[in-house]
Amino acid sequence: MPEVVFSVDNSKSMRSQAVPGHNRWHPEVPAVAMVRPGAEFRVECRDWTDAQIGNNDSANDVRDIDLSIPHMLSGPIGVEGAEPGDLLVVDILDIGPVPQQTGDAPGQGWGYTGVFAKTNGGGFLTDYFPDAVKAVWDFHGQVATSRHLPGVHFTGITHPGLFGTAPSADMLARWNAREQALIDTDPNRVPPLALPPNPQNALAGTATGEVAKRIAREGARTVPGREHGGNQDIKNLTRGSRVFFPVFVKDAKLSGGDLHFSQGDGEITFCGAIEMGGFIDFHVDLIKNGMEKYGVTTNPIFMPGNVEPRYSEFLTFIGISVDHDTDTNYYMDATLAYRRACLNAVEYLKRFGYTGEQAYLLLGAAPLEGRISGIVDIPNACCSLYLPTAIFDFDVRPNAEGPKAVDRGQCAVSS
């Protein structure tokens, strides 16, 4: 096993660890360990909420989650010799839930998928599903099943939802300025357009005193992906992947977390993957002056791994940039097109006995594929959602007899 450079005791919060992690992006968060190019090492992670969600049959914990706490990140890990302008080469060697443990923390044999209430973050279909719901998943090796979604089992494509390098002070200032400008266009929107810096529950790693206060005051929230990587939620960043991260500060300062047992493209419920704590093994190297050499300046690039579920048959749902609720056409709106593809899939699955909420949770958690299929044929962008048929214990394909609806229970709901 590689050397553990960041360890987690899952009986304690991230704040109470012997070496705490952080939940804000800032160049002054101190590195907690240093590694050399060529090193292989392990990072242990809490789940992204710091275990605010329980293995139970109520979604009140999802409804009441404190979103000033996420994401709990492990690190930063400094890389010797890394300088601004380099590319940090990161190989994902292995990743999984908490090894050989069962317990109350996500990742200890189980994980969860949640739909956030519209008033507390929402999700991709929040106007259609405004209330908090949840599904708890049990892990059986590489396979996940849920008492809240009977009739479904699938192999996870396990990956980190979030990892990246530290921003420079200039980049941090630009992030905060442009996101505040977006908020200012509709400051009372629910859910908000973006999340500005918030010192409440900010965790600054091992920083203390005035530095910790400055990190809390200025640190960027970890919710969106940005130029340095961050919360990109790319399900194909799994074992065997190689990522090329821009380096913006000395030592690069790599941090990560938000591990997922599985996820559909888009993570559409916001808490849409199967969330867990666990471990991730990295190998790192450097390409000196790589940002200039390869023109990688605004976002990372990556090579997907070749370890993922192999599904060969899909039922594919299509959406176009038309709001069918109001019969309104939008010009080349791929977001709306993908939303309509998801809604079409939800409506289809309801015919087999699932509630709309159950179907929504499934689309966030299962390893489905989302694609922009047409982006030139004005005025309608076309997106498609590929749902593997083999994940169901029954025949989900259309036939002349019609769908067979049975009682499939209910997901966890809020009271």
Side-chain angles (χ1 to χ4, degrees):
M1 186 181 83
E3 177 189 3
V4 178
V5 298
F6 191 96
S7 62
V8 164
D9 179 348
N10 273 290
S11 68
K12 300 177 180 179
S13 72
M14 183 62 90
R15 196 176 297 273
S16 300
Q17 300 294 319
V19 178
H22 62 107
N23 62 359
R24 302 290 190 269
W25 290 114
H26 197 284
E28 294 184 80
V29 178
V32 298
M34 293 294 297
V35 299
R36 293 179 176 178
E40 296 183 1
F41 55 92
R42 173 167 292 188
V43 172
E44 296 177 348
C45 303
R46 288 280 276 174
D47 101 288
W48 74 293
T49 72
D50 207 15
Q52 294 186 65
I53 309 301
N55 186 351
N56 54 52
D57 298 323
S58 169
N60 289 354
D61 47 10
V62 176
R63 180 196 64 196
D64 300 333
I65 190 171
D66 187 341
L67 286 178
S68 68
I69 293 174
H71 295 77
M72 285 299 171
L73 304 184
S74 297
I77 311 302
V79 180
E80 293 183 11
E83 300 173 301
D86 295 344
L87 286 179
L88 180 66
V89 184
V90 179
D91 293 307
I92 300 176
L93 305 179
D94 200 5
I95 181 173
V98 182
Q100 289 82 51
Q101 287 189 24
T102 58
D104 296 332
Q108 292 183 307
W110 64 280
Y112 64 91
T113 304
V115 171
F116 277 25
K118 183 175 182 178
T119 54
N120 195 25
F124 192 53
L125 306 181
T126 194
D127 290 335
Y128 300 88
F129 301 99
D131 299 319
V133 296
K134 179 177 73 178
V136 173
W137 300 87
D138 295 311
F139 302 153
H140 314 277
Q142 296 181 2
V143 175
T145 62
S146 174
R147 63 185 182 271
H148 297 126
L149 278 164
V152 170
H153 68 282
F154 51 79
T155 301
I157 180 167
T158 311
H159 61 283
L162 190 165
F163 66 131
T165 53
S168 65
D170 175 69
M171 176 166 285
L172 175 64
R174 287 191 286 120
W175 288 353
N176 288 338
R178 74 191 186 197
E179 289 171 25
Q180 186 60 54
L182 176 61
I183 293 168
D184 291 343
T185 65
D186 190 359
N188 298 316
R189 183 179 185 269
V190 177
L193 288 170
L195 298 176
N198 179 4
Q200 180 183 352
N201 289 316
L203 183 58
T206 58
T208 58
E210 289 302 317
V211 173
K213 292 179 181 178
R214 183 162 54 251
I215 292 169
R217 185 174 62 250
E218 300 173 352
R221 303 297 301 279
T222 58
V223 172
R226 300 183 180 94
E227 286 89 338
H228 68 145
N231 194 28
Q232 300 175 110
D233 291 313
I234 300 171
K235 79 176 195 301
N236 300 93
L237 281 175
T238 188
R239 292 186 299 275
S241 296
R242 170 169 286 184
V243 192
F244 302 86
F245 285 106
V247 174
F248 300 106
V249 300
K250 182 179 181 297
D251 300 330
K253 293 187 176 180
L254 177 71
S255 299
D258 187 27
L259 303 189
H260 297 163
F261 189 86
S262 179
Q263 182 200 298
D265 279 334
E267 197 189 12
I268 61 172
T269 74
F270 180 26
C271 188
I274 300 181
E275 307 284 351
M276 67 178 190
F279 74 94
I280 182 166
D281 293 343
F282 291 120
H283 169 274
V284 296
D285 212 333
L286 289 172
I287 299 177
K288 300 300 294 180
N289 197 33
M291 291 174 65
E292 175 63 26
K293 286 178 180 176
Y294 290 101
V296 180
T297 57
T298 58
N299 293 97
I301 57 176
F302 81 101
M303 300 167 61
N306 56 9
V307 179
E308 61 182 48
R310 297 295 182 186
Y311 292 108
S312 59
E313 184 178 276
F314 301 86
L315 190 60
T316 303
F317 299 89
I318 295 167
I320 58 175
S321 49
V322 173
D323 183 342
H324 294 286
D325 298 323
T326 62
D327 204 28
T328 303
N329 220 126
Y330 291 82
Y331 181 79
M332 304 306 290
D333 189 330
T335 300
L336 175 58
Y338 193 55
R339 183 177 292 118
R340 297 310 309 188
C342 293
L343 288 168
N344 289 340
V346 167
E347 194 61 34
Y348 185 90
L349 292 172
K350 286 166 61 177
R351 298 300 193 271
F352 293 86
Y354 291 112
T355 67
E357 289 79 8
Q358 285 176 308
Y360 186 19
L361 287 163
L362 176 61
L363 298 184
L368 57 86
E369 299 179 13
R371 303 179 186 175
I372 296 177
S373 299
I375 202 71
V376 296
D377 298 317
I378 61 171
N380 288 339
C382 177
C383 288
S384 49
L385 182 154
Y386 289 64
L387 182 65
T389 58
I391 71 174
F392 296 95
D393 296 343
F394 55 91
D395 190 353
V396 74
R397 298 171 299 178
N399 59 57
E401 296 179 359
K404 295 180 179 180
V406 302
D407 183 0
R408 303 194 187 276
Q410 176 58 286
C411 55
V413 300
S414 52
S415 58

